[in-house]
Amino acid sequence: EILRCLVGSEMCIRDRVTILSNPVKDALVIMGLHNAETIDVRLFDNTGRLVMQGSQSRMDISSLSPGLYILQVNGKILKVIKD
């Protein structure tokens, strides 16, 4: 869970970053980024090699082999299973 607070304010916004439908078949859709000003998305294979990078909440992963991947979204780490 990402927690961001406005400076000088007691109001906090909680963004719960999740993946729509995991295992993923073709399109990786990241949910819960509504309040994020910038999006930094990186996808790593199970050896730690960077396989995709972007700034969108949707990635086409249809060309990737099935298996386990690690998704980094604005510093948060999620596991992704590609079908």
Side-chain angles (χ1 to χ4, degrees):
E1 192 170 281
I2 299 172
L3 175 65
R4 294 183 297 129
C5 294
L6 301 174
V7 177
S9 171
E10 293 181 16
M11 187 174 123
C12 292
I13 301 168
R14 289 183 180 263
D15 291 329
R16 185 172 195 75
V17 178
T18 58
I19 301 166
L20 183 66
S21 182
N22 195 9
V24 178
K25 192 164 191 84
D26 297 319
L28 183 111
V29 180
I30 304 162
M31 305 295 290
L33 295 171
H34 308 291
N35 298 314
E37 292 176 13
T38 59
I39 302 171
D40 179 28
V41 181
R42 298 170 191 213
L43 187 66
F44 301 89
D45 66 12
N46 61 359
T47 67
R49 182 176 59 96
L50 179 67
V51 293
M52 295 186 113
Q53 185 172 351
S55 59
Q56 303 281 326
S57 60
R58 182 182 173 96
M59 293 179 119
D60 179 5
I61 63 168
S62 60
S63 63
L64 297 178
S65 300
L68 178 66
Y69 292 86
I70 303 298
L71 180 69
Q72 183 179 19
V73 181
N74 291 351
K76 179 165 175 66
I77 306 294
L78 301 165
K79 291 180 186 175
V80 176
I81 299 171
K82 165 70 166 82
D83 253 352

